Amino acid sequence: MDRAAGPEAATLVARGEGGGRRRAGTSNWSGSLIVASLTGAFGSSFLYGYNLSVVNAPAVYIKKFYNETWQRRYGFSVDESTLTLLWSITVSIFAIGGLVGAIIVTPIVKFFGRKCTLLLNNVFAVTAALLMSLSLLAGSFEMLILGRVIMGVDAGISLSALPMYLSEISPKEIRGSLGQVTAIFICIGVFTGQVLGLPEIFGQIWYYTNNIFSEAGINHETIPYVTLSTGAVETVAAVFSGLVIERLGRRPLLIGGFGLMVVFFAILTISLTLQKTVYWLPYLSIFCILAIIASFCVGPGGIPFVLTGEFFQQSQRPAAFMIAGTVNWLSNFAVGLLFPFIQGGLQTYCFLVFAAICFAGATYLFFVLPETKNKTLNEISQAFAKRNKVSLEMQEMNHYPGERKSSAEQESNFTSAVDNGETKKGIV
């Protein structure tokens, strides 16, 4: 057992995951459990959500800062293409930092433990905040970009360590609900970043949703407030998922979320293509955007954090979260990098790419994903072991049909061999 496994293993035994049983009448929602989960989420996933959305609000001011710094250094204004490149790097470099954090989280949680990792991870957050806040005073946009990288490292570590910690301190009856705390605080962080982006606070720009809201007849002064509805819908959907996950299960919410996203992506594509021909179609586009966000937050947004913690034993869990985090952050970076080109090439049909991906994901999960609600981690592992054993036996029967014999035939041959003395010769 590694150095970090001791406290977590004791927690598992205390709550019945290690083979014991909780005492009858003991409340699952203990005060210390709630405080630990909320505190960990506020210092981890909240920062991730906040840093996802808050960078959009001051975009105009950041670009102005880049231009002024460039002119002061080199004596001329930066050209538009270079400015766009610097801005794109500022936004997407967050995912690169997240990838680094996801890769290094395995040795960190094994050496320091889950709790200490979450505490020490605040060093990255504070360092990043200082670099970004002092970049204007120092006249260095490199400090701002470096701060985004370090904040990404903080997010990459926290999005692996926090779900891991929550899955290990939770009783099986509420493991799914408590696991959704990660997604809920991500949504709260996004919403907070949107609130701070209101014109009275910081100023705000929007791209595709801005055009859709304008087409719907909403004036430009009101649009920033309307866009707050996206963050509000995210938060409500995530909370709803946390409340019903133990009743409905992980499988229906995850597959259903992907399925609904396919439907609303398709409708959004149609409404965007035809929105200038029918006056009410822009309103349908707004509804589809909110519905896609809600569908994502109900299932695909948070349940993968829960499932990754449930599918693997404690010794395997850090490596599993590292792999999941790596895929997550690489996908984040790829979407951020490629979407402008996809949108430019396909125009309003760009969302069909995401619809196809969601459809493939829903189909795959429908055939391979088992239900894990109200099961201990050992029961989940045994279910996978049985499934793998059956799969191997089926493969063997398919590859060697002539060499497989029924149990009756094997028993008959064994009895015959004993009678003929062949067993004795075989042993010798």
Side-chain angles (χ1 to χ4, degrees), residues 29-58:
W29 292 94
S30 66
S32 59
L33 184 62
I34 295 175
V35 170
S37 59
L38 295 183
T39 304
F42 182 77
S44 301
S45 57
F46 173 84
L47 291 179
Y48 167 70
Y50 177 80
N51 282 282
L52 278 180
S53 64
V54 76
V55 73
N56 293 317

Short mmCIF file of all heavy atoms in Angstrom, two decimals, residues 29-58:
data_model
loop_
_atom_site.label_atom_id
_atom_site.label_comp_id
_atom_site.label_asym_id
_atom_site.label_seq_id
_atom_site.Cartn_x
_atom_site.Cartn_y
_atom_site.Cartn_z
N TRP A 29 -25.20 11.74 5.42
CA TRP A 29 -24.83 13.14 5.18
C TRP A 29 -24.33 13.76 6.48
O TRP A 29 -24.96 14.62 7.06
CB TRP A 29 -26.04 13.90 4.67
CG TRP A 29 -26.44 13.47 3.31
CD1 TRP A 29 -27.38 12.54 2.97
CD2 TRP A 29 -25.90 13.93 2.08
NE1 TRP A 29 -27.45 12.40 1.61
CE2 TRP A 29 -26.56 13.24 1.03
CE3 TRP A 29 -24.91 14.85 1.74
CZ2 TRP A 29 -26.27 13.44 -0.31
CZ3 TRP A 29 -24.61 15.07 0.40
CH2 TRP A 29 -25.29 14.38 -0.60
N SER A 30 -23.17 13.31 6.94
CA SER A 30 -22.60 13.87 8.15
C SER A 30 -22.05 15.26 7.87
O SER A 30 -21.74 15.62 6.74
CB SER A 30 -21.48 12.96 8.67
OG SER A 30 -20.40 12.94 7.76
N GLY A 31 -21.95 16.06 8.93
CA GLY A 31 -21.47 17.43 8.77
C GLY A 31 -20.06 17.49 8.22
O GLY A 31 -19.76 18.31 7.34
N SER A 32 -19.18 16.63 8.72
CA SER A 32 -17.79 16.65 8.25
C SER A 32 -17.69 16.25 6.79
O SER A 32 -16.85 16.77 6.04
CB SER A 32 -16.93 15.71 9.11
OG SER A 32 -17.43 14.38 9.05
N LEU A 33 -18.55 15.32 6.35
CA LEU A 33 -18.54 14.90 4.95
C LEU A 33 -18.95 16.04 4.03
O LEU A 33 -18.33 16.28 2.98
CB LEU A 33 -19.48 13.71 4.77
CG LEU A 33 -19.53 13.06 3.38
CD1 LEU A 33 -18.19 12.50 2.99
CD2 LEU A 33 -20.61 11.98 3.34
N ILE A 34 -20.00 16.77 4.43
CA ILE A 34 -20.46 17.90 3.62
C ILE A 34 -19.42 19.00 3.57
O ILE A 34 -19.13 19.55 2.50
CB ILE A 34 -21.79 18.45 4.20
CG1 ILE A 34 -22.89 17.40 4.07
CG2 ILE A 34 -22.20 19.73 3.49
CD1 ILE A 34 -24.19 17.80 4.72
N VAL A 35 -18.83 19.33 4.72
CA VAL A 35 -17.82 20.38 4.76
C VAL A 35 -16.61 20.01 3.91
O VAL A 35 -16.08 20.84 3.15
CB VAL A 35 -17.38 20.65 6.22
CG1 VAL A 35 -16.17 21.57 6.26
CG2 VAL A 35 -18.53 21.26 7.01
N ALA A 36 -16.17 18.74 4.00
CA ALA A 36 -15.01 18.30 3.22
C ALA A 36 -15.28 18.40 1.73
O ALA A 36 -14.42 18.87 0.96
CB ALA A 36 -14.65 16.87 3.61
N SER A 37 -16.46 17.97 1.29
CA SER A 37 -16.77 17.97 -0.13
C SER A 37 -16.94 19.40 -0.67
O SER A 37 -16.41 19.73 -1.74
CB SER A 37 -18.03 17.16 -0.40
OG SER A 37 -19.13 17.69 0.32
N LEU A 38 -17.66 20.25 0.07
CA LEU A 38 -17.88 21.61 -0.40
C LEU A 38 -16.60 22.44 -0.39
O LEU A 38 -16.34 23.21 -1.32
CB LEU A 38 -18.95 22.29 0.47
CG LEU A 38 -20.36 21.70 0.40
CD1 LEU A 38 -21.32 22.51 1.25
CD2 LEU A 38 -20.86 21.65 -1.04
N THR A 39 -15.80 22.27 0.65
CA THR A 39 -14.54 23.01 0.73
C THR A 39 -13.59 22.59 -0.38
O THR A 39 -12.96 23.43 -1.04
CB THR A 39 -13.87 22.79 2.10
OG1 THR A 39 -14.78 23.17 3.13
CG2 THR A 39 -12.60 23.62 2.21
N GLY A 40 -13.50 21.28 -0.59
CA GLY A 40 -12.62 20.79 -1.66
C GLY A 40 -13.07 21.26 -3.03
O GLY A 40 -12.26 21.64 -3.87
N ALA A 41 -14.39 21.25 -3.26
CA ALA A 41 -14.91 21.68 -4.55
C ALA A 41 -14.72 23.17 -4.77
O ALA A 41 -14.39 23.61 -5.88
CB ALA A 41 -16.39 21.32 -4.66
N PHE A 42 -14.92 23.98 -3.72
CA PHE A 42 -14.76 25.42 -3.88
C PHE A 42 -13.33 25.80 -4.21
O PHE A 42 -13.08 26.71 -5.01
CB PHE A 42 -15.20 26.13 -2.59
CG PHE A 42 -15.12 27.64 -2.68
CD1 PHE A 42 -16.09 28.35 -3.36
CD2 PHE A 42 -14.07 28.33 -2.09
CE1 PHE A 42 -16.01 29.74 -3.46
CE2 PHE A 42 -13.99 29.71 -2.18
CZ PHE A 42 -14.97 30.42 -2.86
N GLY A 43 -12.37 25.10 -3.62
CA GLY A 43 -10.97 25.40 -3.89
C GLY A 43 -10.42 24.72 -5.12
O GLY A 43 -9.26 24.93 -5.49
N SER A 44 -11.24 23.90 -5.80
CA SER A 44 -10.74 23.12 -6.94
C SER A 44 -11.58 23.35 -8.19
O SER A 44 -11.23 24.13 -9.07
CB SER A 44 -10.71 21.63 -6.58
OG SER A 44 -9.88 21.40 -5.45
N SER A 45 -12.72 22.66 -8.28
CA SER A 45 -13.51 22.73 -9.50
C SER A 45 -14.13 24.11 -9.73
O SER A 45 -14.36 24.51 -10.87
CB SER A 45 -14.61 21.67 -9.48
OG SER A 45 -15.44 21.80 -8.35
N PHE A 46 -14.40 24.86 -8.66
CA PHE A 46 -14.91 26.22 -8.83
C PHE A 46 -13.92 27.09 -9.60
O PHE A 46 -14.29 27.84 -10.50
CB PHE A 46 -15.20 26.85 -7.46
CG PHE A 46 -15.57 28.30 -7.52
CD1 PHE A 46 -16.88 28.68 -7.78
CD2 PHE A 46 -14.62 29.29 -7.33
CE1 PHE A 46 -17.24 30.02 -7.85
CE2 PHE A 46 -14.96 30.64 -7.40
CZ PHE A 46 -16.27 31.00 -7.65
N LEU A 47 -12.64 26.98 -9.24
CA LEU A 47 -11.61 27.76 -9.94
C LEU A 47 -11.50 27.36 -11.41
O LEU A 47 -11.27 28.21 -12.27
CB LEU A 47 -10.26 27.57 -9.25
CG LEU A 47 -10.11 28.19 -7.86
CD1 LEU A 47 -8.72 27.89 -7.30
CD2 LEU A 47 -10.33 29.70 -7.92
N TYR A 48 -11.69 26.07 -11.68
CA TYR A 48 -11.65 25.62 -13.07
C TYR A 48 -12.77 26.27 -13.88
O TYR A 48 -12.54 26.83 -14.95
CB TYR A 48 -11.77 24.10 -13.11
CG TYR A 48 -12.06 23.55 -14.49
CD1 TYR A 48 -11.09 23.57 -15.49
CD2 TYR A 48 -13.31 23.00 -14.78
CE1 TYR A 48 -11.36 23.07 -16.76
CE2 TYR A 48 -13.58 22.49 -16.04
CZ TYR A 48 -12.61 22.54 -17.02
OH TYR A 48 -12.88 22.05 -18.28
N GLY A 49 -14.00 26.21 -13.37
CA GLY A 49 -15.12 26.81 -14.08
C GLY A 49 -14.97 28.31 -14.23
O GLY A 49 -15.26 28.88 -15.29
N TYR A 50 -14.49 28.96 -13.18
CA TYR A 50 -14.31 30.41 -13.21
C TYR A 50 -13.30 30.81 -14.29
O TYR A 50 -13.54 31.76 -15.05
CB TYR A 50 -13.85 30.89 -11.84
CG TYR A 50 -13.56 32.37 -11.78
CD1 TYR A 50 -14.59 33.29 -11.65
CD2 TYR A 50 -12.25 32.85 -11.85
CE1 TYR A 50 -14.33 34.65 -11.60
CE2 TYR A 50 -11.98 34.21 -11.79
CZ TYR A 50 -13.02 35.10 -11.66
OH TYR A 50 -12.76 36.45 -11.62
N ASN A 51 -12.20 30.09 -14.36
CA ASN A 51 -11.17 30.44 -15.33
C ASN A 51 -11.55 30.05 -16.76
O ASN A 51 -10.93 30.53 -17.71
CB ASN A 51 -9.85 29.78 -14.95
CG ASN A 51 -9.14 30.50 -13.83
OD1 ASN A 51 -8.50 31.53 -14.04
ND2 ASN A 51 -9.26 29.99 -12.62
N LEU A 52 -12.55 29.17 -16.91
CA LEU A 52 -13.06 28.88 -18.24
C LEU A 52 -13.81 30.07 -18.83
O LEU A 52 -13.67 30.40 -20.01
CB LEU A 52 -14.00 27.67 -18.21
CG LEU A 52 -13.37 26.28 -18.22
CD1 LEU A 52 -14.47 25.22 -18.19
CD2 LEU A 52 -12.50 26.08 -19.45
N SER A 53 -14.62 30.73 -18.01
CA SER A 53 -15.51 31.77 -18.53
C SER A 53 -14.99 33.19 -18.36
O SER A 53 -15.28 34.06 -19.17
CB SER A 53 -16.89 31.66 -17.85
OG SER A 53 -16.78 31.93 -16.46
N VAL A 54 -14.21 33.43 -17.30
CA VAL A 54 -13.84 34.81 -16.99
C VAL A 54 -12.90 35.41 -18.03
O VAL A 54 -12.85 36.64 -18.19
CB VAL A 54 -13.19 34.87 -15.58
CG1 VAL A 54 -11.75 34.36 -15.62
CG2 VAL A 54 -13.25 36.29 -15.02
N VAL A 55 -12.19 34.60 -18.77
CA VAL A 55 -11.24 35.14 -19.74
C VAL A 55 -11.95 35.80 -20.92
O VAL A 55 -11.37 36.65 -21.61
CB VAL A 55 -10.29 34.02 -20.24
CG1 VAL A 55 -11.02 33.06 -21.17
CG2 VAL A 55 -9.08 34.62 -20.94
N ASN A 56 -13.22 35.44 -21.15
CA ASN A 56 -13.94 36.04 -22.27
C ASN A 56 -14.32 37.49 -22.01
O ASN A 56 -14.39 38.30 -22.93
CB ASN A 56 -15.21 35.23 -22.57
CG ASN A 56 -14.89 33.86 -23.10
OD1 ASN A 56 -14.02 33.71 -23.94
ND2 ASN A 56 -15.60 32.85 -22.61
N ALA A 57 -14.60 37.82 -20.76
CA ALA A 57 -15.10 39.15 -20.43
C ALA A 57 -14.09 40.26 -20.75
O ALA A 57 -14.42 41.23 -21.41
CB ALA A 57 -15.52 39.20 -18.98
N PRO A 58 -12.84 40.14 -20.28
CA PRO A 58 -11.88 41.24 -20.52
C PRO A 58 -11.10 41.11 -21.82
O PRO A 58 -10.00 41.64 -21.93
CB PRO A 58 -10.95 41.12 -19.32
CG PRO A 58 -10.90 39.65 -19.05
CD PRO A 58 -12.26 39.11 -19.41
#
